[in-house]
Amino acid sequence: MMIDRRSLLKVAVVAPLATTATTGQAFAESAPPALRPFALRDVTLGGGVFADKRALMLAYARGYDVNRLVQVFRANAGLPTGGAVAPGGWEGLDGEANGNLRGHYTGHFLSMLAQAYGSTGEPVFAEKISTIVGALVECRAALRRDPVPLSVPGRFGTGLEFIRGSYQYLDLPPNVLGGSAAVTLSAWVKPTHAATWARIFDFGNDTTRYMYLTARNNNGVPRFAITTNGGGSEQAINGTASLPLGEWSHIAVTVEGTAGVLYVNGSQVAVNTAMSLNPAVLGQVRNNWVGRSNYAADPAFAGVLDDVNIWSRALTASEIAGLRNSPGKGDLASYSFDSGLSDATLRRTWGSPSHPGFLAAYPETQFITLETMTRSDYTVVWAPYYTAHKILKGLLDAYLNTGDARALDLATGMADWMYARLRKLSAEVLQRMWGLFSSGEFGGLVEAITDLHQITGNADYLALAKLFDLNSLIDACAANRDVLEGLHANQHIPIFTGLVRLHESTGEQRYLTAAKNFWDMVVPHRMYSIGGTSEREFWRARGAVASTLTDVNAETCCAHNMLKLSRSLFAHDRNPKYMDYFERALVNQILGSKQDQADPELPLVTYFIGLAPGSVRDYTPKQGTTCCEGTGMESATKYQDTVYFQHPEGLYVNLYMPSTVRWQNVTVTQTTAYPFEQASELRISGNATFDLHLRIPGWARKGVTVTINGSHHVGKPTPGSYLTISRAWRSGDTVRVEMPFTLRAEQALDRPDVQSLMYGPVHLVARDSRTAMLEFSLYRNATLSGDLVRSLTPVAGKPLHYTLDGVELAPFFEGTADPFHSYFRRVEPRVVFGGLDAGVANVVRDGTSFLDTVWSAAPFPTKTDFVTRVDRVADRFYAGEDRTRVTRTARHAPLWP
């Protein structure tokens, strides 16, 4: 069921803070935030670099066949996949760690589509959402029942299809072999995947006593084997050529006396005349299977079967050849599938139907196995609750943006299933699970579950959210004990956004205190200049920056989730530091994580950002569909989600971005080319009295000028604060904010001579293929404000591009594949002020140079203040003639404001 966007306003009113980027309003809460964001539909993004990046992602979203996304869900449920091909990378059975994360990308894609629809209202996005949700409804229903045979055209009549990923097999009646010493196994097979050791037949009790026929052994050829003493004692017959994929092949084996013969397409391909074992010596076995192995790690057969027969004798070569042209009729068993399965039973390797509400692209066993794991092994279990979060969040976004009640029903079903499962586990088991690296990762699940509680009012969901409390981490952060070193970064960042939501719903202060303290442990102590964090996905020691520069820094998911946490914390205490960070990470890492190129198959988003010298951004990491490409799709369709916040008496302008917001009885249109323009203008439409709060960026060293209607100056704004304008606004009023950028060099916390360049909010990188750290000098033309930009030469026709010592500098947010240097080594060998060389070495004491110490006090209101600073610092660094030269040069240097 779909509803129109106007009616949707009635639905969205129940949305909580964490989902207001896509929904809007909030329930009354125990500890409500002071501010609320706007729904995406209430903020229109104007033209510019953000809109250009978003346009690339919207084009990808419009064109991608979403039937590919649900292929793995359909396969897992045993439903026809319609020939759809699952996305590559992690989102498929062949993905990393056996595809144990499949389904996560579909959740991200749903969120992207929901945000795209919320932002643009284009029907194509709602239609795609409906297709995915409808498929998931069918999949959940199929998982709740016994598998249904999939009948397809067979070799002679009807064939039985085993979809890869359905984990289905045929269970034949007990004693189907009848104790016969001779046997013929025969079947028409049409394999669809080249997996080795997938069985056609397997009879046995375990991995010691069995007899099987497989389409492919390790060499890719058919193999028959029988043993009573395990794999090392198999008596076998091996074929000579692989069975072709997607084509019918007849395969048969006969065993009688000491001879075994393997046939393919009616021709004898291999013989073993020294066999001492036969089916009779196995006795009555427990497992009589078609399509499943007694070895649990072997894959189920994928393909189509027809005319499956078992005889109690060895058919002759001519009889085998005759089976190519007409169906057989085994005296022990015969299955043509024209009229069902006869006495066989279609089963799943993972057992009975799933529990009510379960929905995933893999069996419930991933969740069950996690409960007994004592150490992480992502090849066995890879973050099933993390994947559940992506699906749940996607469904909530779908419901809140389109009103599709089916999505909410799927979401509540998932939560009901989780609560039924987790509430039975002891606190000890839960703590062990959530503490496991990777396997126990649950992403932002607490946030999503708490949102669901707000939407439905179901108290069980709040109880469920609290079951994910990782107390060792929460208690440490609440006590302000930094325990982050060695932790997987993105496994833990989303936990704290969930804690903020829990604080809002429960009033428990410990949650909010832990989140605030955690944020301060990351920013700036584990933050790179682009705003990102982590090295090889992990946090290193507090303050370690320069010592951690590699080709695998700043996992993009971390920046995405730090932005979510920052906006949540800002909504509570309005501390401008959260928005200063938000702008840094958004304008640099998030914007720069999207390649400036269109692609119909890939979102082209980074995973890691290499910050070692000469790094190149990889926009197709790990064959695509990683966690970071998922969050990248979401980021690129909600750039405007934090530009404005609201409270009943006022409007907060947090970011400078071309956009229009509709609030109460007014519309505010922001016009700017930011960050190419160092100013922004806001125009009011409508009459109202309210407070307008303008963010004054912390980097604005040259000061900010605010005017109303072109003439009235508003106070003296303080960098790193909000300027409040209380006014009875009239239609046509304009507010102009001018904030000149300055070029500043930021020192790495653990090595002051390793630095990076920031021009206002923009991180400038050196485009250079050398892999040794570049060396730059910058103080020679520094101005009284501390601005270093006069040492750079602008590049004509390329805004925000400069050259320095022959090397081009460019904004990181440009999504190119050029090699770059984010950090350089600062080399200031001599004391130079305003281009005047004092002829004195720049002395270093206690790891800090004289010039660094002087300029750390910038900006200087007047030259007199600057000279006074030089004079005082020179007392600590120089004596005699050197000190005189330094202070004389400072007095005579032509310094710009």
Side-chain angles (χ1 to χ4, degrees):
M1 173 195 134
M2 307 291 291
I3 63 178
D4 61 59
R5 282 165 57 81
R6 180 168 305 195
S7 299
L8 182 60
L9 291 170
K10 300 176 183 178
V11 176
V13 74
V14 301
L17 168 69
T19 56
T20 47
T22 53
T23 59
Q25 305 296 317
F27 266 123
E29 297 162 323
S30 297
L35 305 176
R36 290 186 292 112
F38 286 87
L40 287 179
R41 64 177 166 272
D42 292 330
V43 182
T44 302
L45 186 62
V49 62
F50 290 96
D52 291 344
K53 294 268 191 180
R54 185 182 71 169
L56 293 170
M57 194 63 78
L58 292 179
Y60 165 70
R62 289 187 197 97
Y64 199 85
D65 180 7
V66 295
N67 288 298
R68 297 182 60 189
L69 297 169
V70 294
Q71 193 269 357
V72 288
F73 287 88
R74 288 185 172 278
N76 182 56
L79 296 174
T81 60
V85 178
W90 291 357
E91 194 66 12
L93 292 165
D94 294 315
E96 189 174 343
N98 309 311
N100 285 342
L101 210 66
R102 61 188 182 274
H104 81 115
Y105 197 72
T106 302
H108 284 299
F109 210 99
L110 265 176
S111 289
M112 173 181 66
L113 291 173
Q115 292 173 174
Y117 181 66
S119 292
T120 70
E122 291 183 35
V124 63
F125 300 124
E127 291 164 5
K128 288 178 178 289
I129 290 170
S130 182
T131 298
I132 295 174
V133 171
L136 295 180
V137 169
E138 294 176 358
C139 290
R140 185 178 69 174
L143 289 169
R144 282 290 297 138
R145 62 174 183 255
D146 289 326
V148 176
L150 294 181
S151 298
V152 297
R155 175 62 178 81
F156 296 112
T158 301
L160 177 64
E161 183 176 15
F162 294 91
I163 296 175
R164 185 163 179 260
S166 67
Y167 308 98
Q168 294 181 358
Y169 67 100
L170 280 182
D171 192 1
L172 305 186
N175 202 29
V176 66
L177 297 178
S180 177
V183 72
T184 296
L185 307 176
S186 167
W188 279 97
V189 299
K190 186 178 177 181
T192 56
H193 192 260
T196 57
W197 301 117
R199 303 295 201 257
I200 300 172
F201 294 97
D202 201 329
F203 306 92
N205 291 330
D206 45 37
T207 57
T208 299
R209 196 177 193 85
Y210 55 78
M211 177 179 72
Y212 69 77
L213 176 62
T214 182
R216 289 174 182 259
N217 64 6
N218 271 343
N219 295 319
V221 298
R223 174 183 174 91
F224 169 84
I226 184 170
T227 183
T228 56
N229 197 31
S233 300
E234 289 183 357
Q235 297 180 12
I237 314 169
N238 292 306
T240 57
S242 299
L243 302 185
L245 299 181
E247 298 180 16
W248 284 107
S249 297
H250 183 261
I251 186 167
V253 64
T254 64
V255 177
E256 188 169 49
T258 61
V261 184
L262 181 65
Y263 297 87
V264 175
N265 290 327
S267 298
Q268 178 180 306
V269 296
V271 178
N272 183 342
T273 58
M275 297 181 67
S276 61
L277 299 176
N278 62 61
V281 304
L282 297 177
Q284 184 169 350
V285 296
R286 289 191 303 272
N287 306 322
N288 299 275
W289 292 334
V290 172
R292 180 179 180 180
S293 170
N294 275 288
Y295 284 83
D298 289 341
F301 175 77
V304 185
L305 296 176
D306 193 12
D307 198 35
V308 176
N309 290 283
I310 307 174
W311 282 269
S312 59
R313 62 185 180 87
L315 270 61
T316 65
S318 61
E319 288 177 310
I320 295 290
L323 295 175
R324 294 197 64 195
N325 301 312
S326 60
K329 186 65 176 177
D331 62 315
L332 294 178
S334 184
Y335 303 97
S336 67
F337 308 119
D338 289 337
S339 56
L341 303 180
S342 185
D343 55 2
T345 304
L346 184 64
R347 303 190 189 280
R348 299 182 176 102
T349 62
W350 48 267
S352 302
S354 64
H355 291 91
F358 175 74
L359 177 63
Y362 42 65
E364 211 170 348
T365 48
Q366 280 278 297
F367 298 86
I368 297 169
T369 303
L370 175 62
E371 294 169 6
T372 57
M373 292 179 71
T374 58
R375 65 179 183 85
S376 177
D377 185 345
Y378 86 137
T379 65
V380 176
V381 173
W382 189 7
Y385 285 97
Y386 170 95
T387 304
H389 163 244
K390 304 310 172 189
I391 298 168
L392 179 61
K393 181 64 164 59
L395 290 169
L396 288 177
D397 286 341
Y399 167 67
L400 291 165
N401 281 276
T402 70
D404 192 331
R406 298 173 303 169
L408 181 60
D409 182 63
L410 289 169
T412 56
M414 290 182 70
D416 291 341
W417 171 82
M418 281 187 273
Y419 188 49
R421 169 148 232 107
L422 293 176
R423 68 180 175 180
K424 296 178 182 178
L425 302 180
S426 69
E428 179 184 7
V429 170
L430 290 172
Q431 294 302 307
R432 185 182 73 239
M433 285 167 56
W434 309 144
L436 286 175
F437 159 63
S438 189
S439 297
E441 183 175 357
F442 55 83
L445 190 53
V446 172
E447 175 190 359
I449 293 170
T450 310
D451 291 349
L452 186 60
H453 162 251
Q454 292 291 328
I455 292 168
T456 64
N458 188 334
D460 284 350
Y461 300 152
L462 190 58
L464 170 62
K466 290 175 65 65
L467 292 177
F468 289 90
D469 280 5
L470 180 56
N471 289 321
S472 59
L473 179 67
I474 298 171
D475 291 343
C477 290
N480 206 20
R481 285 189 293 108
D482 190 332
V483 295
L484 301 191
E485 184 176 357
L487 292 183
H488 183 264
N490 197 53
Q491 179 168 345
H492 295 89
I493 297 171
I495 290 176
F496 292 93
T497 306
L499 295 182
V500 176
R501 292 292 296 119
L502 273 176
H503 165 74
E504 293 164 7
S505 293
T506 66
E508 187 168 336
Q509 186 62 35
R510 180 181 70 130
Y511 291 142
L512 184 61
T513 300
K516 289 183 176 182
N517 289 342
F518 164 79
W519 192 94
D520 287 331
M521 295 172 193
V522 177
V523 183
H525 304 290
R526 293 177 172 88
M527 182 193 77
Y528 299 108
S529 291
I530 58 175
T533 185
S534 80
E535 193 269 335
R536 298 184 190 277
E537 299 190 6
F538 291 84
W539 280 307
R540 305 308 175 190
R542 185 184 180 97
V545 175
S547 58
T548 65
L549 300 179
T550 66
D551 59 350
V552 283
N553 293 122
E555 183 186 359
T556 308
C557 277
C558 294
H560 171 89
N561 284 310
M562 282 298 295
L563 290 186
K564 294 183 70 174
L565 176 59
S566 298
R567 74 197 296 268
S568 294
L569 292 174
F570 176 76
H572 277 272
D573 65 10
R574 315 186 205 193
N575 192 325
K577 70 179 182 180
Y578 298 122
M579 283 300 126
D580 276 352
Y581 170 80
F582 194 102
E583 179 183 59
R584 177 192 291 263
L586 178 67
V587 170
N588 295 292
Q589 175 154 9
I590 294 300
L591 205 57
S593 69
K594 174 71 186 85
Q595 189 171 24
D596 298 331
Q597 181 176 318
D599 192 294
E601 289 290 312
L602 298 165
L604 298 181
V605 176
T606 58
Y607 191 116
F608 293 116
I609 300 291
L611 296 177
S615 292
V616 176
R617 273 171 271 183
D618 180 3
Y619 296 98
T620 312
K622 300 176 181 284
Q623 294 79 53
T625 67
T626 63
C627 52
C628 291
E629 284 155 301
T631 55
M633 294 188 301
E634 294 185 39
S635 292
T637 49
K638 63 170 186 176
Y639 289 134
Q640 76 270 36
D641 73 344
T642 306
V643 176
Y644 307 98
F645 273 14
Q646 59 181 309
H647 67 85
E649 293 79 33
L651 178 69
Y652 276 71
V653 180
N654 301 318
L655 301 171
Y656 296 101
M657 186 183 299
S659 55
T660 300
V661 61
R662 289 161 292 281
W663 175 67
Q664 296 185 3
N665 296 320
V666 300
T667 298
V668 179
T669 300
Q670 184 177 174
T671 304
T672 180
Y674 194 88
F676 296 105
E677 181 183 2
Q678 301 176 22
S680 186
E681 186 171 279
L682 295 100
R683 184 178 182 85
I684 313 295
S685 295
N687 301 327
T689 299
F690 63 90
D691 295 337
L692 182 66
H693 305 276
L694 302 174
R695 175 173 155 266
I696 309 301
W699 48 258
R701 293 184 175 185
K702 284 188 176 179
V704 173
T705 301
V706 178
T707 59
I708 299 176
N709 297 330
S711 60
H712 179 63
H713 289 257
V714 181
K716 186 178 181 182
T718 303
S721 69
Y722 276 77
L723 175 69
T724 299
I725 305 174
S726 301
R727 181 180 172 91
W729 300 94
R730 296 294 177 261
S731 226
D733 282 349
T734 60
V735 178
R736 182 169 178 80
V737 184
E738 296 182 355
M739 43 201 151
F741 293 0
T742 59
L743 181 71
R744 66 191 186 279
E746 295 185 341
Q747 299 177 345
L749 297 177
D750 53 342
R751 186 173 167 183
D753 66 325
V754 174
Q755 302 182 6
S756 59
L757 289 177
M758 298 295 297
Y759 188 48
V762 178
H763 177 43
L764 296 179
V765 296
R767 288 188 177 165
D768 195 287
S769 62
R770 284 173 285 183
T771 55
M773 191 167 282
L774 302 178
E775 296 183 348
F776 291 133
S777 299
L778 290 160
Y779 281 140
R780 57 185 179 266
N781 291 310
T783 68
L784 290 176
S785 67
D787 193 354
L788 303 173
V789 75
R790 290 178 61 82
S791 292
L792 310 184
T793 301
V795 177
K798 298 176 73 175
L800 295 179
H801 284 245
Y802 303 87
T803 59
L804 175 61
D805 297 340
V807 178
E808 183 176 10
L809 304 180
F812 179 84
F813 64 70
E814 291 185 349
T816 74
D818 297 308
F820 69 94
H821 292 238
S822 183
Y823 288 85
F824 61 94
R825 195 165 80 86
R826 185 73 172 271
V827 178
E828 303 282 357
R830 302 172 68 81
V831 174
V832 182
F833 299 126
L836 287 184
D837 190 337
V840 176
N842 179 31
V843 173
V844 176
R845 297 193 188 284
D846 299 324
T848 303
S849 76
F850 166 73
L851 287 176
D852 285 336
T853 306
V854 168
W855 288 107
S856 66
F860 299 101
T862 67
K863 186 176 178 181
T864 299
D865 295 300
F866 169 75
V867 172
T868 300
R869 172 71 175 177
V870 170
D871 188 60
R872 289 175 179 172
V873 175
D875 280 340
R876 306 203 311 266
F877 282 81
Y878 300 104
E881 182 61 24
D882 283 350
R883 186 189 183 288
T884 300
R885 290 178 179 176
V886 167
T887 56
R888 182 173 58 238
T889 303
R891 286 194 300 271
H892 290 91
L895 295 175
W896 290 67

